[in-house]
């Protein structure tokens, strides 16, 4: 009976899942268990202990032991509510054994297989095409893609086949299919394996392409964005199969141009349309979670418009003592242009770039702000000494970060280093802008 209803439980909140399951279990087993008797005071003990299992996994065993003691008494018949708790505990106790086995298998695979493979992935400096003019000929993208495919094929997942697709002039695409095991559904999962450039110096002892384990974390370019994606997908399917569980057909697309705006994703999806089929569920494996105590789903995420703006005021640079006050400064003009996009005092972006936020998303933000409190800010950024966030209203901070537009200057050219800058009125300034929409 339990397995018959499992697919209905996965997206129910943890606290409600147990109650929902127990009602089904009670309706199914009530006639078999209605002879179990106990004392009323023991029922309260049972209930109190069973409540603990919602938050403390190790209380499964203690609660189950109490139930065994109570079930051996013959003074009072257990009422319906207690019977629901009883079924709840039995189910969670059995489930916990599978959970612990699954957790042990996952930890073993992570330590012995996934982590070393992820470290090898970090060592490959396959930058996204926008940051590597030789991406199509230097073989780095191909090396990284084949590394992922070879690892996936070595995991012993039944029905898995994969290939690295590369069309002339287009980026690489890791494409993996896993045959269905007992469920006639299709799940499409997405990720990417291209990487951002190193972006300057790293902390002492760290390097973008030399993986380092430190304080329980793995440091290295591309490990979390988005190298984890394929490893998580394949390991999840593997663990289901080890438990003789069922799953639908799995289709995995891992592109190599996401950090450059995914120029080839849509063309590849159209090309592979017949092989992908009609997905019943699509999952993007390129996001995060707020903690490990809950199941998190990303429901609001901004896109990006990235472009360069160049301002040229002179045919050549001149001494600042000669040209300033006569000719405009290119940076000043650029600054004025930027002020047309957002308010320099508040960072509020002009209305045409904004959208109306749905009421239910505002309510989501309120709940998340109440749950996270100051972590809304501290989990995202490390502010400098004396620096305050743009808002101390945590709900507004969430909406700023997920719905409202922002303008950020991500790079500039035309400037010498400050240490060697002379008294020169520069002839032009170029800035790269990232506008989240």
């Amino acid at each position: 009976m339990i397995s018959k209803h499992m697919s209905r439980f996965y997206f129910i909140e943890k606290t409600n899942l147990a109650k929902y399951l127990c009602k089904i279990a009670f309706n199914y087993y009530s006639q078999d268990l209605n002879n179990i008797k106990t004392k009323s005071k023991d029922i309260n003990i049972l209930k109190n202990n069973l409540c603990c299992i919602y938050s403390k996994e190790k209380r499964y065993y203690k609660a189950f032991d109490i139930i065994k003691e109570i079930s051996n008494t013959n003074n009072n018949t257990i009422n319906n509510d207690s019977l629901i708790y009883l079924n709840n505990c039995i189910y969670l106790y059995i489930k916990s054994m599978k959970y612990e086995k699954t957790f042990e298998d996952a930890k073993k695979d992570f330590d012995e297989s996934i982590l070393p493979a992820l470290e090898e992935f970090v060592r490959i400096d396959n930058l996204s095409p926008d940051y590597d003019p030789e991406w199509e000929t230097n073989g780095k993208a191909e090396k990284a893609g084949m590394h992922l495919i070879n690892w996936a094929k070595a995991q012993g997942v039944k029905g898995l086949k994969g290939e690295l697709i590369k069309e002339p002039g287009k980026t690489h695409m890791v494409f993996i299919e896993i045959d269905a095991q007992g469920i006639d559904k299709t799940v499409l999962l997405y990720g990417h394996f291209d990487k951002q450039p190193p972006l300057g110096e790293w902390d002492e002892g760290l390097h973008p392409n030399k993986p380092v384990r430190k304080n329980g974390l793995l440091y290295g370019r591309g490990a979390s964005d988005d190298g984890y994606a394929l490893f998580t997908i394949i390991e999840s399917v593997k663990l289901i199969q080890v438990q003789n569980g069922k799953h639908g057909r799995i289709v995995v697309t891992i592109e190599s141009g996401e950090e450059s705006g995914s120029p080839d994703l849509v063309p590849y999806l159209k090309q592979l349309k017949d092989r992908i089929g009609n997905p019943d569920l699509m999952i993007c494996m390129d996001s995060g979670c707020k903690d490990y105590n809950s199941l998190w789903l990303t429901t609001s995420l901004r896109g990006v418009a990235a472009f360069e703006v160049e301002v040229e005021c002179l045919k050549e640079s001149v001494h600042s003592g000669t040209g300033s006050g006569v000719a405009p400064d290119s940076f000043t003009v650029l600054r004025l242009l930027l002020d047309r996009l957002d308010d320099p005092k508040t960072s509020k972006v002009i209305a045409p770039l904004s959208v109306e936020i749905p009421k239910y998303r505002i309510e989501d933000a309120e709940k998340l702000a109440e749950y996270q409190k100051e972590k809304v800010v501290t989990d995202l950024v490390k502010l400098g000494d004396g620096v305050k966030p743009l808002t101390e209203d945590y709900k507004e901070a969430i909406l700023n970060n997920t719905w409202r537009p922002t303008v950020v200057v991500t790079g500039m050219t035309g400037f010498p280093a400050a240490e060697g800058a002379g008294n020169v009125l520069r002839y032009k300034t170029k800035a790269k802008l990232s506008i989240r929409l």
Side-chain angles (χ1 to χ4, degrees):
M1 189 281 296
I2 298 300
S3 61
K4 178 180 177 181
H5 295 279
M6 277 298 291
S7 62
R8 300 168 62 180
F9 303 147
Y10 289 137
F11 296 100
I12 302 174
E13 288 185 7
K14 186 176 180 181
T15 55
N16 291 330
L17 183 152
K19 296 178 182 177
Y20 183 72
L21 174 67
C22 291
K23 289 178 181 178
I24 296 176
F26 168 69
N27 291 334
Y28 190 84
Y29 286 122
S30 58
Q31 293 186 358
D32 295 331
L33 298 176
N34 60 12
N35 292 322
I36 297 178
K37 298 178 180 180
T38 187
K39 296 179 180 178
S40 58
K41 67 176 183 179
D42 289 331
I43 292 176
N44 293 328
I45 296 175
L46 170 62
K47 289 182 178 181
N48 290 333
N49 279 279
L50 289 173
C51 287
C52 293
I53 66 178
Y54 292 140
S55 58
K56 297 181 180 180
E57 296 170 2
K58 296 304 179 184
R59 297 302 290 271
Y60 292 153
Y61 305 102
K62 182 174 181 179
F64 188 76
D65 288 339
I66 291 175
I67 286 177
K68 287 193 294 184
E69 293 177 8
I70 293 175
S71 66
N72 290 328
T73 65
N74 296 298
N75 295 321
N76 295 304
T77 301
I78 292 181
N79 60 29
N80 290 351
D81 289 340
S82 298
L83 188 59
I84 290 176
Y85 279 111
L86 171 62
N87 281 277
N88 179 36
C89 188
I90 293 174
Y91 165 72
L92 289 177
Y93 177 77
I94 295 171
K95 184 182 177 184
S96 72
M97 294 193 300
K98 287 189 175 182
Y99 166 78
E100 289 192 348
K101 176 65 167 60
T102 300
F103 183 81
E104 290 172 2
D105 290 344
K107 187 177 187 308
K108 182 176 184 295
D109 287 345
F110 184 80
D111 292 339
E112 298 179 3
S113 178
I114 295 176
L115 197 53
L118 197 54
E119 288 177 327
E120 184 59 33
F121 175 73
V122 167
R123 294 187 180 96
I124 307 171
D125 59 337
N126 56 305
L127 300 183
S128 198
D130 275 4
Y131 313 105
D132 182 2
E134 299 178 356
W135 66 270
E136 197 166 10
T137 58
N138 59 25
K140 295 177 180 179
E142 181 179 3
K143 182 178 180 181
M146 288 307 303
H147 172 67
L148 297 178
I149 290 174
N150 291 335
W151 179 87
K153 289 182 176 180
Q155 301 314 300
V157 174
K158 291 182 290 186
L160 184 149
K161 51 185 177 291
E163 62 179 300
L164 184 64
I165 299 175
K166 173 68 173 73
E167 296 294 337
K170 289 186 172 65
T171 52
H172 298 73
M173 167 77 79
V174 170
F175 188 74
I176 291 176
E177 298 172 85
I178 304 175
D179 295 338
Q181 301 292 326
I183 297 178
D184 186 23
K185 299 289 184 180
T186 296
V187 180
L188 174 63
L189 298 109
Y190 163 89
H192 69 90
F193 67 95
D194 55 317
K195 303 170 184 175
Q196 287 267 6
L199 300 178
E201 296 183 0
W202 284 42
D203 288 347
E204 184 178 355
L206 302 180
H207 188 279
N209 300 117
K210 295 179 181 178
V212 174
R213 302 186 197 186
K214 184 178 180 181
N215 298 327
L217 300 175
L218 173 63
Y219 291 83
R221 210 56 165 160
S224 61
D225 185 17
D226 189 34
Y228 86 95
L230 179 124
F231 297 99
T232 302
I233 294 168
I234 301 303
E235 178 66 11
S236 298
V237 177
K238 178 181 177 180
L239 293 172
I240 292 174
Q241 292 187 356
V242 167
Q243 293 281 359
N244 294 317
K246 298 178 181 180
H247 62 77
R249 178 171 168 266
I250 309 295
V251 180
V252 183
T253 56
I254 310 289
E255 67 160 319
S256 62
E258 192 272 347
E259 302 292 1
S260 299
S262 301
D264 305 316
L265 177 60
V266 172
Y268 272 134
L269 292 179
K270 289 181 178 179
Q271 176 183 327
L272 298 166
K273 180 175 65 174
D274 292 339
R275 295 175 64 180
I276 293 173
N278 296 314
D280 298 281
L281 175 66
M282 293 186 290
I283 302 174
C284 175
M285 301 292 291
D286 189 16
S287 189
C289 63
K290 300 300 182 181
D291 57 38
Y292 296 111
N293 299 320
S294 304
L295 172 66
W296 294 89
L297 298 176
T298 299
T299 60
S300 303
L301 186 67
R302 297 172 297 175
V304 63
F307 54 92
E308 295 177 351
V309 178
E310 183 174 278
V311 176
E312 184 173 331
C313 295
L314 301 171
K315 293 185 179 299
E316 60 184 11
S317 300
V318 298
H319 194 285
S320 61
T322 301
S324 62
V326 178
D329 172 40
S330 60
F331 177 74
T332 300
V333 176
L334 175 63
R335 186 179 64 191
L336 292 172
L337 291 175
L338 293 176
D339 288 350
R340 295 181 182 179
L341 293 175
D342 66 350
D343 186 330
K345 296 180 180 179
T346 64
S347 294
K348 185 177 181 179
V349 177
I350 56 175
L353 297 181
S354 302
V355 297
E356 183 178 354
I357 306 174
K359 181 181 178 180
Y360 62 92
R361 292 306 180 204
I362 296 176
E363 293 172 352
D364 287 347
E366 290 175 344
K367 293 176 182 177
L368 181 57
E370 183 179 355
Y371 176 78
Q372 276 207 296
K373 296 183 172 59
E374 69 278 356
K375 288 187 176 181
V376 168
V377 175
T378 59
D379 279 1
L380 295 176
V381 294
K382 296 179 180 179
L383 296 172
D385 294 339
V387 177
K388 293 183 178 181
L390 291 174
T391 175
E392 294 183 351
D393 184 323
Y394 299 135
K395 180 197 74 175
E396 293 302 312
I398 293 170
L399 295 174
N400 287 346
N401 187 247
T402 57
W403 275 93
R404 297 190 178 113
T406 54
V407 178
V408 175
V409 178
T410 59
M412 300 193 75
T413 57
F415 288 86
E419 294 78 9
N423 293 315
V424 177
L425 180 64
R426 298 169 302 98
Y427 78 103
K428 70 176 181 179
T429 299
K430 180 190 289 188
K432 186 170 183 178
L433 304 184
S434 173
I435 302 181
R436 290 287 168 177
L437 298 169

